[in-house]
Amino acid sequence: MAATATAPGAPTSRLGKAATELDDRLIVAGPVRRTLNKVFPDHWSFLLGEIALYCFIILLLSGTYLTFFFDATMIEVQYDGQYDPLRGTEMSGAYASALDLSFDVRGGLFMRQLHHWAALLFVASIVVHLLRIFFTGAFRRPRESNWLIGVVMLVLSLLMGVTGYSLPDDLLSGTGLRIISAILLSIPVIGTWAHFAIFNGDYVGEQIIGRFYIAHVLIFPAILLALIAVHLLILVKQKHTQFPGPGRTEHNVVGNRLFPTFAGKATGLMLVVFGVCTALAGLVQINPVWLWGPYNPAQVSAASQPDWYIGFLDGSTRIFPAWDINLPGDYTIPALFWPTVVVAGTMFTVLALYPMIERKVTKDTASHHLLQRPRDVPVRTSLGMMGLTFYFWLMVAGGNDVIADKFDISLNAMTWIGRIGVIVLPPIVYTITYRICLGLQQHDREVLEHGIETGVIRRLPHGEFIEVHQPLGPVDEHGHGQLAYGGAPVPKRMNHVGGARRAIRGFFSPIEQPSAVELEQRGEGRGLAAGEASRELTTSGRPSDGGRPSDGGRPQDARD
Amino acid sequence: MSTTNPHSDAPTEAVSSPVDRARVRRRSKQRRRVANVAGLMASLVLTGSLYSVFAPAQAADDTTSESAAEAAGRELYERSCITCHGENLEGEPNRGPSLIGVGEAAVYFQVHTGRMPLVRQEADAPDKPTIFSDEEIDQLMAYVQANGGGPTLPSGDLRDGDLAEGGELFRLNCASCHNFVGEGGALSSGKAAPSLKDTSDTELYAAMLTGPENMPVFGDNQLTPDEKRSIINYVQTVKFQADPGGAGVGRIGPVAEGLVVWVVGISVLMFGIFWMGSKA
């Protein structure tokens, strides 16, 4: 970054001179330096949102390539391309151009598959990112606005998915379009008019592909792009949250500078995401439209499913009872209205308003920059797991016919498994999660109080066996640790605190000699192995060794 | 026997005398009478024997008119099928349908795909390794065909049809149960439309003709023989066609793709960011 090289005195190198010339005119050295020195906290889970960002970049690039060849027209043509089993078939121009993209355009099939895989990964990474934000409490004040923007972007990406799914006008996407049309029609009072407005008349008309196309390539991406910019600007302005740990407070940010560490990691991750997407696009077939055939409203195939992110709505529709509400005067609220419009509307409203709801309930209106471990907020964690179970079970129900077919289960049984599970499982998961959270909390407290279990068994003079515990800090007269829980991970094993020799470096395979490391550690005199001879093991994590032997080794009730 | 020919001696008698002539007249009258009776008898015998030759098989005596194949088929039938389909192919209530009129095509499909004999009564009959040899299947087919008739197996090239038309017809008539390209699909209450992956041309044709299990019958009025051949051509062509986009993941679309995205895509990326996280 030559632009930051503002050494006192005149620069001597050619690069330095050029940079000075540039800075004289644009005055960028200060802001660039500030930006490059901005510190980002470091944790693997903070990279999840970045995956979505890089997927979006792939989507923009591959999508642009596809627009060069895709023709969003519903004019009937007779196919005359490379794919023999469809030659001579009547189809829409959109489907014909999707076939041409797959068989006649150089790199077209790869780009189509890249676009589709990146889209599936895009939504998946948004969901995983959202879960990280939710379970660590990163949405709390002052970040509610960014949470809201995030939920809106999630909904937008679903709409992007739905419109994109419909574009090739094959038998699968047309079936989806028919369902969209039915959902629109099911909305009381405005349904028919909404349908007419979107489809320009009755299903299917001649407009819808063209309209979805503009929505898919222009309107939604533009909004999404703007929201991504706002999302990131707010993130930079508010600074990234960080997990509690040594030296980390509500008022600082501990991490790496944007340049070079963070930039290096981000670039690396971008290349990984590109690599995964292109590998999938090149190796695994997705949405083979030529096998589906052209759309014809008279035809439908078994196992017609939406892409995974709409699967939960398909599932809710499949398991919802056929409860049409017939009102006087020939008015009907179709059963379809509830599992689609109402379920989706409720789910996303609750999701969007969750920060406000939690603020109301907990009366916690303070600003938070330190994250929470999920175990420390058992109610939120359990609620999240409950919602996730509900969502997951609906998604499973969305593929119930495929599951029934592949695992030889009755489809009727699958429907009832869906119905009963969606009601019974979430409370069960809530209870189990809550107990797990409490258990983990208590274990943290126990280790802080009694020390780490060393695995060393000692026999006392009177014959009792105790396990030696390693306190994490100074102990009081009863042998209890005095460290308070700070919201950070508590070391649970001796080698977390350097008890054993340090780990051999290397992620995939060792990049150093284990024996050399051991020698080095011996030399330093650290750890149990080295200090065995000189150290006397006296701490048992029980009321001091002078206490009553009958209490030995048992965890004590917390007294504070 | 030239002496019995009336024409050889009649002229000589006719020219002898008037008395002779009268005698001849009397004699010829007598002869006519005998000839009439003989003719009647002959025609009766002829009609009877013709009737016995052309009469329907079941009217004839079993033991004498049944061919060897039919007899062997009957033996197989009485060993393996009679429990559910009855002594006279009339079916048994709650066990098996009547086989009168199902024809050899149905026998071929059910037995050749291993669906029959059934292992147990359940939602539908799964295909399994064939129990009978081809020869035995032929015998069973002959027996059922001889005792009730019905659709027969086609001959010739069963893929002799238009590929694109076959695809259109497949999507219209078959895809709603068998999926876009014949991967199969679930039906209600544990029944299923099977995958067409291992199905032969003849089995496909026989299935359309006879409508096994839950499948509707596509008689020659619904799908002409040419249209059936087109469908078979499409199914078999697409089945053996390579997937240009890479691994086919079952060719069932979004469910498998969603699974791949989560199990492969997200897992690999998670691994990637873990790896990066360890490089702090």
Side-chain angles (χ1 to χ4, degrees):
Chain A
M1 288 289 110
T4 58
T6 51
T12 49
S13 69
R14 183 170 291 189
L15 198 62
K17 279 180 190 153
T20 313
E21 295 291 314
L22 197 68
D23 189 41
D24 282 345
R25 284 160 180 79
L26 297 174
I27 320 183
V28 291
V32 167
R33 174 187 288 259
R34 252 202 319 283
T35 310
L36 292 184
N37 280 339
K38 186 159 181 66
V39 168
F40 284 90
D42 200 25
H43 191 265
W44 64 266
S45 70
F46 299 165
L47 298 173
L48 292 167
E50 270 183 59
I51 296 179
L53 181 67
Y54 302 137
C55 285
F56 188 69
I57 293 172
I58 299 175
L59 286 170
L60 287 182
L61 295 176
S62 56
T64 307
Y65 185 81
L66 296 180
T67 60
F68 296 156
F69 306 101
F70 181 69
D71 183 10
T73 171
M74 292 176 87
I75 293 169
E76 289 281 308
V77 296
Q78 204 170 38
Y79 180 66
D80 188 28
Q82 291 286 321
Y83 186 63
D84 201 29
L86 283 174
R87 203 173 296 145
T89 309
E90 292 278 326
M91 58 181 64
S92 70
Y95 183 59
S97 69
L99 288 177
D100 287 344
L101 250 171
S102 306
F103 293 110
D104 295 78
V105 173
R106 196 176 298 272
L109 180 59
F110 174 76
M111 281 297 181
R112 255 199 62 226
Q113 300 204 139
L114 179 63
H115 194 71
H116 206 135
W117 281 120
L120 297 193
L121 267 180
F122 177 58
V123 190
S125 52
I126 289 178
V127 169
V128 180
H129 173 56
L130 178 139
L131 293 176
R132 201 282 291 170
I133 302 289
F134 180 86
F135 284 116
T136 59
F139 55 81
R140 291 171 300 166
R141 184 186 176 96
R143 295 182 176 78
E144 304 100 324
S145 51
N146 241 8
W147 169 268
L148 263 176
I149 291 171
V151 173
V152 172
M153 286 200 291
L154 172 61
V155 175
L156 269 176
S157 63
L158 297 189
L159 291 175
M160 288 277 280
V162 166
T163 48
Y165 176 90
S166 304
L167 286 184
D169 202 25
D170 55 81
L171 186 50
L172 183 60
S173 73
T175 306
L177 199 59
R178 171 83 265 195
I179 296 170
I180 294 171
S181 148
I183 292 172
L184 279 171
L185 284 173
S186 78
I187 305 173
V189 186
I190 63 158
T192 311
W193 282 269
H195 186 281
F196 279 17
I198 290 173
F199 282 81
N200 195 34
D202 203 355
Y203 181 81
V204 56
E206 288 174 343
Q207 302 282 319
I208 191 67
I209 297 290
R211 290 182 174 188
F212 270 22
Y213 184 61
I214 289 301
H216 182 77
V217 304
L218 184 71
I219 301 173
F220 292 147
I223 303 175
L224 208 48
L225 208 55
L227 287 178
I228 289 174
V230 177
H231 200 65
L232 291 180
L233 284 175
I234 292 179
L235 162 81
V236 168
K237 181 79 183 70
Q238 292 181 332
K239 299 185 177 63
H240 203 287
T241 51
Q242 58 186 351
F243 278 106
R248 297 175 185 175
T249 70
E250 291 280 8
H251 309 288
N252 68 0
V253 179
V254 179
N256 296 312
R257 293 174 199 278
L258 174 63
F259 190 85
T261 314
F262 187 78
K265 277 197 177 189
T267 315
L269 181 58
M270 185 167 86
L271 294 176
V272 169
V273 174
F274 269 57
V276 170
C277 287
T278 46
L280 279 174
L283 298 174
V284 188
Q285 181 165 284
I286 187 165
N287 199 23
V289 288
W290 56 91
L291 294 180
W292 306 158
Y295 183 55
N296 176 341
Q299 302 170 354
V300 68
S301 165
S304 287
Q305 251 95 9
D307 278 342
W308 76 264
Y309 42 81
I310 302 292
F312 76 105
L313 285 182
D314 198 351
S316 62
T317 307
R318 283 169 191 233
I319 62 176
F320 196 80
W323 288 341
D324 285 343
I325 298 178
N326 292 308
L327 302 171
D330 269 358
Y331 291 105
T332 300
I333 303 179
L336 182 63
F337 175 64
W338 308 105
T340 54
V341 182
V342 173
V343 163
T346 313
M347 281 172 72
F348 285 109
T349 308
V350 170
L351 192 65
L353 296 181
Y354 185 81
M356 290 52 122
I357 297 171
E358 192 186 289
R359 210 170 54 197
K360 265 261 158 33
V361 173
T362 61
K363 300 191 173 59
D364 177 9
T365 53
S367 274
H368 296 281
H369 300 288
L370 285 178
L371 296 170
Q372 289 169 308
R373 301 177 82 199
R375 67 185 64 175
D376 294 333
V377 202
V379 173
R380 181 205 294 147
T381 305
S382 309
L383 282 176
M385 286 306 293
M386 190 169 141
L388 202 57
T389 310
F390 181 75
Y391 175 87
F392 178 74
W393 209 249
L394 289 185
M395 198 161 78
V396 168
N400 63 6
D401 59 333
V402 174
I403 297 171
D405 188 38
K406 299 293 172 201
F407 295 98
D408 209 6
I409 304 169
S410 163
L411 185 56
N412 301 43
M414 280 306 297
T415 306
W416 279 102
I417 288 170
R419 285 174 179 165
I420 296 170
V422 90
I423 294 168
V424 169
L425 284 181
I428 293 177
V429 169
Y430 182 96
T431 316
I432 293 173
T433 312
Y434 198 89
R435 301 313 304 179
I436 291 175
C437 285
L438 291 191
L440 289 171
Q441 275 185 25
Q442 279 170 5
H443 192 242
D444 285 344
R445 266 58 168 190
E446 190 197 318
V447 170
L448 285 170
E449 198 170 1
H450 297 124
I452 300 169
E453 295 176 349
T454 58
V456 176
I457 306 294
R458 190 174 170 222
R459 191 177 181 194
L460 297 181
H462 55 273
E464 183 193 358
F465 289 95
I466 57 159
E467 183 180 5
V468 177
H469 283 61
Q470 169 68 52
L472 292 172
V475 293
D476 62 13
E477 67 273 22
H478 300 296
H480 287 150
Q482 292 169 312
L483 290 174
Y485 179 68
V490 174
K492 298 273 175 78
R493 291 201 188 87
M494 284 308 287
N495 45 353
H496 290 164
V497 291
R501 61 154 201 265
R502 70 168 168 81
I504 313 288
R505 284 202 203 93
F507 191 80
F508 293 105
S509 57
I511 54 171
E512 52 188 0
Q513 278 293 329
S515 52
V517 176
E518 199 167 340
L519 279 175
E520 178 198 321
Q521 297 287 299
R522 285 244 170 88
E524 286 175 11
R526 281 170 58 197
L528 280 181
E532 200 82 315
S534 59
R535 193 179 337 156
E536 197 187 348
L537 298 169
T538 51
T539 45
S540 62
R542 39 177 278 184
S544 68
D545 282 350
R548 283 175 295 125
S550 58
D551 293 338
R554 273 184 224 119
Q556 302 294 300
D557 293 334
R559 287 172 204 161
D560 41 340
Chain B
M1 293 265 285
S2 60
T3 49
T4 56
N5 188 346
H7 300 288
S8 59
D9 54 348
T12 52
E13 280 177 36
V15 292
S16 55
S17 67
V19 183
D20 282 348
R21 223 176 285 140
R23 212 177 61 215
V24 165
R25 217 181 292 130
R26 218 182 298 122
R27 262 176 66 185
S28 71
K29 194 178 176 186
Q30 209 171 353
R31 264 189 195 191
R32 263 204 311 279
R33 218 172 269 156
V34 170
N36 282 347
V37 170
L40 183 66
M41 288 306 288
S43 62
L44 276 175
V45 168
L46 189 70
T47 313
S49 51
L50 272 178
Y51 176 78
S52 68
V53 167
F54 290 111
Q58 66 260 51
D61 193 345
D62 278 345
T63 48
T64 52
S65 71
E66 197 173 45
S67 73
E70 286 165 31
R74 165 188 293 279
E75 201 172 306
L76 289 170
Y77 179 87
E78 285 173 354
R79 199 158 4 106
S80 302
C81 321
I82 198 167
T83 320
C84 301
H85 292 295
E87 206 175 345
N88 299 308
L89 295 91
E90 77 278 25
E92 288 284 332
N94 299 324
R95 274 199 226 152
S98 163
L99 298 186
I100 296 167
V102 300
E104 62 171 27
V107 177
Y108 177 81
F109 178 85
Q110 296 284 358
V111 180
H112 197 258
T113 60
R115 285 181 164 77
M116 294 292 147
L118 212 53
V119 172
R120 60 177 174 273
Q121 297 279 352
E122 52 187 336
D124 58 4
D127 54 335
K128 49 187 187 296
T130 316
I131 287 178
F132 294 109
S133 69
D134 285 351
E135 195 196 346
E136 288 171 326
I137 294 173
D138 283 342
Q139 291 163 352
L140 270 175
M141 281 160 61
Y143 173 67
V144 172
Q145 188 69 28
N147 294 283
T152 53
L153 284 182
S155 55
D157 181 10
L158 296 184
R159 300 190 191 183
D160 182 21
D162 184 71
L163 192 56
E165 189 204 357
E168 197 63 19
L169 288 167
F170 183 85
R171 287 187 290 275
L172 192 60
N173 294 292
C174 321
S176 52
C177 300
H178 287 287
N179 187 282
F180 297 101
V181 283
E183 292 294 332
L187 301 174
S188 61
S189 305
K191 292 171 285 209
S195 159
L196 307 181
K197 218 175 280 173
D198 303 321
T199 315
S200 71
D201 295 356
T202 318
E203 285 168 358
L204 282 172
Y205 199 103
M208 285 190 268
L209 210 52
T210 61
E213 318 277 332
N214 296 288
M215 184 165 157
V217 172
F218 293 95
D220 286 349
N221 290 331
Q222 283 90 29
L223 289 172
T224 66
D226 280 346
E227 289 175 334
K228 287 196 181 80
R229 281 163 212 257
S230 299
I231 290 177
I232 292 170
N233 188 16
Y234 178 76
V235 170
Q236 304 290 34
T237 306
V238 171
K239 182 157 70 182
F240 294 112
Q241 164 185 301
D243 283 319
V249 288
R251 286 179 167 185
I252 51 164
V255 173
E257 292 157 8
L259 210 60
V260 169
V261 149
W262 280 97
V263 173
V264 178
I266 289 292
S267 305
V268 171
L269 287 174
M270 287 294 137
F271 185 77
I273 59 176
F274 264 126
W275 180 36
M276 298 200 136
S278 78
K279 296 271 167 199

